[in-house]
Amino acid sequence: MYRRKIRWVAWLGAAVVASAAALAIWSVVATQHHLRQAKTANSLLAEHLQLSVRSYRLFKQLTDEVLLGTLANQAVARNKQAAIDESLARIRYLELKQRDELGPVPGAVEDTDELEALIANIAENFEALHALPPGEERASRVSGILEDQIDISFRDAVNTALERQQGVVTRMDHQIGAVHTQLVGVSTALLILALVGAFAANRLLERGIARPLASLYEAARALGRGELHHRVPRGFDAEFEEMAVAFNSMADQLSEKEASREETRRELEAAVEERTAALQEANATLQRSDAARRHFFADVSHELRTPLTVIRGEAQVALRGTNRSEDEYREALDAILDQAVGLSRLVDDMLFVARSDARTIRLSRRTVDPGQLCEDVFQAMRHKAEPRGVGLQCTMDNAGGHLSADPDRVRQLLMILLDNALRYSPTGSTIQVRWTQVDDHWHLRVEDRGPGIDPQDLPHIFDRFFRGTSEDESSGGGMGLGLAVAKAIVQAHGGDIHAESTAGVGTVLHASFPMAPDDSL
């Protein structure tokens, strides 16, 4: 069925194209024919004008010969006579050609013969005047020829020929216009016919071919999106009906295979998830180890440069001179020793932080008394607190048990927190250290009355090598590892640490330790 519809559309299109081609050929042939006739008519009109001009020039030359005698150039007259003969021959040729193309034109060839005879008669009359002696009679007869034969007879004959030929040219122009009008009318009718045929063909193809093809296309896209429940509607021509049945059968088979594949996929996903969990754990361990290595080397390259530069500079200065005293050498060695001690402490801190990142810290846990640890640290920190006029106070709340922890690391934690608080505490203030046992945790609180921490710095104070934007040299700031080490110590014990700060009031550092030991690190 759809093949017959396609053939109908093809024949209709061929008919429209053939009609357009025939119209184009007819228009070209008709236009060429009329243009050829118009060209002949215009050429004949031009030759008549040329004959008129040449004749008047001949008459002027003959008049000069009669009136001036030997002073006139008779060779010029002969040349003009030859040109007139040439024009007359050309006019006869074109008139015969025009008669063949258009049919007989009344008076055309006959008028040309009369015109030729008139020109010859005027030339003979001028020749006859040469026999008369110069005088009034010759002049009067010249005047008569000019008035009667040239101004009246010749001019009327020429004008008649020109008007007749101008009429032929006008008629040819009208014929060309008529052909163009016919061409426009036929083209318009053919255009309307083509539009009507195209609309009818479009409706025919849309109902017979486009709709079933669109349904098949939409069904294919739906299957491509995974919508296996989609089916092609029925009720088209026989050929498309067979395609719809085959397509729907294929969709049923795909649905069955998809259900089987989904079951297999779920089984594979379960196996993959189990294996992925093991791989992720191994990958996390490798990533922690690699991150620890990268952080460690970054910290070393960042922080070892300055003390090593000082040590090298002091050694170079000490060795450069030849007459230095013992005190000068001792001063250089003291500077080198101070830098070496600081460098050793820095290396220890960086190694501790790196081990914390890699989770390779080994704690030597035992039961310790938090209050005793606090007193020991106070004893070591009084030499810094007393010159500043800062008091140290330790309080134990709800303390009914001991802490299971590495005493050296907890002592180091207290030293770091107190040193940090002393750096910013004003004279006359007191640093409060409070241990509180809450459920299964020990809570450590260190509070100072310093200027507080800038809110934009607070989230970063436990980052390694971080120094706040408000720190200056008078505060005695370190290298930015203290709180990072403190965080590593607390996390190594399975606890957590955070800070609270209010501008102009002070800062509170909170650390918690689980009472049950966590040996995962």
Side-chain angles (χ1 to χ4, degrees):
M1 180 64 70
Y2 75 92
R3 294 187 179 91
R4 185 164 61 251
K5 294 177 181 178
I6 292 176
R7 283 197 295 270
W8 289 347
V9 174
W11 280 111
L12 178 61
V16 173
V17 171
S19 300
L23 177 63
I25 294 173
W26 173 80
S27 65
V28 170
V29 172
T31 302
Q32 286 180 346
H33 177 68
H34 287 88
L35 287 177
R36 185 166 57 250
Q37 294 175 349
K39 181 179 179 181
T40 301
N42 282 296
S43 298
L44 189 54
L45 179 62
E47 286 296 336
H48 277 292
L49 291 173
Q50 187 68 23
L51 175 62
S52 174
V53 172
R54 289 175 175 176
S55 298
Y56 276 113
R57 288 179 180 176
L58 174 63
F59 297 153
K60 181 180 181 303
Q61 185 65 34
L62 293 175
T63 302
D64 292 341
E65 289 180 0
V66 171
L67 297 178
L68 301 178
T70 57
L71 296 178
N73 189 350
Q74 296 190 14
V76 175
R78 289 192 296 272
N79 291 337
K80 287 183 173 59
Q81 184 63 52
I84 290 172
D85 294 340
E86 180 182 352
S87 292
L88 288 170
R90 179 69 177 167
I91 288 173
R92 284 190 176 90
Y93 168 75
L94 292 175
E95 285 177 342
L96 293 175
K97 184 178 179 181
Q98 179 173 272
R99 177 173 292 180
D100 293 339
E101 294 175 350
L102 301 179
V105 178
V109 179
E110 294 78 10
D111 290 347
T112 302
D113 294 338
E114 293 177 1
L115 187 60
E116 181 180 11
L118 181 59
I119 294 172
N121 185 36
I122 293 172
E124 291 174 358
N125 290 335
F126 274 109
E127 289 293 335
L129 293 178
H130 285 290
L132 297 176
E136 293 182 0
E137 183 179 359
R138 177 184 287 187
S140 64
R141 293 188 62 177
V142 168
S143 176
I145 292 172
L146 293 175
E147 291 178 0
D148 296 336
Q149 292 184 307
I150 295 176
D151 287 347
I152 296 175
S153 299
F154 179 75
R155 185 179 62 186
D156 290 344
V158 169
N159 288 339
T160 299
L162 290 175
E163 289 175 359
R164 182 186 69 248
Q165 194 58 39
Q166 183 64 47
V168 174
V169 171
T170 302
R171 187 177 68 183
M172 296 307 305
D173 291 341
H174 287 321
Q175 289 180 354
I176 293 174
V179 170
H180 288 170
T181 301
Q182 293 174 2
L183 180 61
V184 170
V186 174
S187 299
T188 303
L190 183 60
L191 176 61
I192 294 174
L193 177 63
L195 292 176
V196 172
F199 178 77
N202 178 70
R203 295 291 297 173
L204 182 65
L205 291 179
E206 181 180 358
R207 297 186 62 180
I209 298 177
R211 289 182 180 176
L213 287 178
S215 299
L216 288 172
Y217 174 72
E218 181 60 30
R221 291 191 61 186
L223 290 184
R225 295 192 298 266
E227 301 174 7
L228 300 181
H229 61 279
H230 191 90
R231 295 295 181 269
V232 179
R234 309 283 294 275
F236 300 119
D237 292 339
E239 297 88 346
F240 290 107
E241 186 71 13
E242 294 176 0
M243 294 178 62
V245 171
F247 194 96
N248 292 337
S249 176
M250 178 189 67
D252 293 337
Q253 294 176 9
L254 287 176
S255 297
E256 295 175 359
K257 292 182 179 180
E258 178 63 18
S260 176
R261 188 184 67 84
E262 182 66 20
E263 181 64 25
T264 304
R265 184 184 63 82
R266 285 194 293 266
E267 295 176 357
L268 289 176
E269 283 182 352
V272 169
E273 287 178 359
E274 182 179 353
R275 182 59 178 166
T276 300
L279 291 176
Q280 287 177 345
E281 181 63 27
N283 185 52
T285 302
L286 291 175
Q287 287 181 346
R288 286 194 297 270
S289 177
D290 182 66
R293 177 185 60 81
R294 287 187 286 104
H295 285 311
F296 176 75
F297 284 111
D299 296 345
V300 169
S301 63
H302 181 272
E303 291 299 328
L304 297 189
R305 184 180 297 110
T306 299
L308 289 175
T309 301
V310 173
I311 291 173
R312 183 176 60 187
E314 290 293 338
Q316 288 175 345
V317 171
L319 295 174
R320 189 177 298 133
T322 57
N323 297 319
R324 293 186 177 276
S325 64
E326 180 181 349
D327 292 338
E328 290 175 334
Y329 282 114
R330 183 176 295 278
E331 182 179 352
L333 290 175
D334 287 340
I336 292 173
L337 179 60
D338 289 341
Q339 292 297 326
V341 171
L343 188 60
S344 177
R345 186 182 304 111
L346 177 62
V347 170
D348 289 340
D349 290 344
M350 287 193 299
L351 286 174
F352 184 80
V353 174
R355 291 193 186 104
S356 175
D357 291 340
R359 297 190 177 184
T360 58
I361 297 176
R362 293 293 180 263
L363 300 176
S364 179
R365 292 179 181 271
R366 61 177 181 268
T367 301
V368 295
D369 182 2
Q372 186 60 45
L373 284 177
C374 195
E375 290 298 329
D376 293 343
V377 173
F378 280 5
Q379 185 66 30
M381 297 295 295
R382 282 195 177 92
H383 71 283
K384 289 186 177 181
E386 290 177 354
R388 294 173 178 264
V390 177
L392 303 176
Q393 182 178 353
C394 181
T395 305
M396 302 293 293
D397 292 339
N398 194 24
H402 291 78
L403 173 65
S404 178
D406 187 328
D408 294 332
R409 292 303 181 186
V410 177
R411 188 178 294 109
Q412 182 182 8
L413 168 67
L414 288 171
M415 295 283 288
I416 292 171
L417 299 183
L418 286 175
D419 182 73
N420 192 70
L422 281 170
R423 189 178 304 131
Y424 300 102
S425 294
T427 301
S429 64
T430 299
I431 298 174
Q432 298 283 343
V433 179
R434 183 182 299 274
W435 284 95
T436 305
Q437 184 178 345
V438 181
D439 297 331
D440 58 347
H441 280 75
W442 278 98
H443 180 257
L444 171 63
R445 172 188 174 97
V446 178
E447 182 179 2
D448 64 52
R449 298 299 177 183
I453 302 173
D454 193 322
Q456 66 181 358
D457 294 337
L458 192 60
H460 307 289
I461 62 173
F462 294 103
D463 296 342
R464 67 192 66 191
F465 302 114
F466 175 79
R467 298 187 65 182
T469 56
S470 61
E471 290 190 17
D472 52 28
E473 293 300 327
S474 62
S475 66
M479 294 185 179
L481 269 179
L483 291 179
V485 173
K487 179 179 179 182
I489 293 173
V490 175
Q491 291 181 343
H493 285 81
D496 188 26
I497 186 171
H498 66 278
E500 297 175 354
S501 184
T502 303
V505 176
T507 301
V508 181
L509 288 170
H510 301 271
S512 63
F513 297 87
M515 296 186 66
D518 184 359
D519 296 328
S520 61
L521 295 175

